[in-house]
């Protein structure tokens, strides 16, 4: 068994979860993705990259989840678009590998050469995207910060110091 095949078998979503995720409508997921991209990337995108991306239809395909997110750069932001029969660029990987890319624990070149990340369509556009992402100062995505306990802790810190806590029971 090759190392790539062994990795794929260890790091894929369980089939029942993938079956549920694969049934989700694509547009709301694309809206969520572009919200994150706009929050993290849009203001940092170099002008030459923004010009090259203008109107280009891009798809992120999470293979093991059966999810496809379609979007385009329009004006100064990413916009969700309806699913495309042939996007200009498709980047495909399993959820685990996309997460490791976001956490900067994996290099896109390594994933590409190990056939865990694939690029279809306009390869020049793909290289522009890859090089731009490599050059940006991006916050590292830390999944632990979204654990319920961590989120509740941050919400408690937002409460004004003199504000009463939540009361249980009748007043």
């Amino acid at each position: 068994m090759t190392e790539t095949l062994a990795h794929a078998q260890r790091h894929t979503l369980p089939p029942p979860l993938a079956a549920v995720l694969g049934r989700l409508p694509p547009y709301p997921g694309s809206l969520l993705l572009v919200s994150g991209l706009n929050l993290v990337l849009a203001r940092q995108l170099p002008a030459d990259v923004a010009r090259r991306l203008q109107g280009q239809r891009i798809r992120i395909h999470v293979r093991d989840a059966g999810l496809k997110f379609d979007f385009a750069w329009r004006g100064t932001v990413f916009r969700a678009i309806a699913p495309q029969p042939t996007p200009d660029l498709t980047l495909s990987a399993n959820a685990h590998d996309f997460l490791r890319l976001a956490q900067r624990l994996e290099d896109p070149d390594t994933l590409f050469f190990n056939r865990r990340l694939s690029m279809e369509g306009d390869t020049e556009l793909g290289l522009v995207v890859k090089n731009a992402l490599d050059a940006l100062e991006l916050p590292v995505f830390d999944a632990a910060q979204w654990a319920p306990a961590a989120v509740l802790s941050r919400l408690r810190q937002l409460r004004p110091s003199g504000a009463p806590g939540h009361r249980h029971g009748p007043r």
Side-chain angles (χ1 to χ4, degrees), residues 100-166:
R100 290 187 58 83
L101 279 171
Q103 293 173 319
R104 296 200 174 228
L105 296 174
E106 286 283 356
D107 175 69
D109 292 328
T110 300
L111 292 176
F112 181 77
F113 288 115
N114 286 324
R115 296 185 177 156
R116 291 169 36 204
L117 174 68
S118 66
M119 181 174 33
E120 295 174 37
D122 186 340
T123 54
E124 180 187 331
L125 177 62
L127 290 174
V128 167
V129 168
K130 179 223 169 284
N131 291 336
L133 289 174
D134 284 345
L136 294 175
E137 287 297 321
L138 300 176
V140 175
F141 176 75
D142 179 10
Q145 72 180 341
W146 296 102
V151 172
L152 286 173
S153 175
R154 285 196 305 275
L155 289 174
R156 282 188 201 108
Q157 291 173 2
L158 292 175
R159 185 174 62 214
S161 58
H166 179 74

Side-chain angles (χ1 to χ4, degrees), residues 40-117:
V40 175
L41 296 178
R43 285 177 264 164
Q44 292 190 64
L45 212 56
D48 61 327
V49 174
R51 280 191 301 277
R52 177 63 175 96
L53 286 177
Q54 198 64 253
Q56 298 294 309
R57 300 162 305 163
I58 300 171
R59 171 176 292 154
I60 300 293
H61 178 201
V62 185
R63 278 183 246 165
D64 58 341
L67 295 172
K68 295 177 181 173
F69 305 110
D70 289 80
F71 59 96
W73 179 260
R74 301 247 168 93
T76 59
V77 294
F78 291 100
R79 301 262 185 217
I81 58 175
Q84 302 292 301
T86 54
D88 297 304
L89 174 67
T90 300
L91 300 171
S92 301
N94 284 339
H96 175 78
D97 290 326
F98 277 128
L99 179 61
R100 290 187 58 83
L101 279 171
Q103 293 173 319
R104 296 200 174 228
L105 296 174
E106 286 283 356
D107 175 69
D109 292 328
T110 300
L111 292 176
F112 181 77
F113 288 115
N114 286 324
R115 296 185 177 156
R116 291 169 36 204
L117 174 68

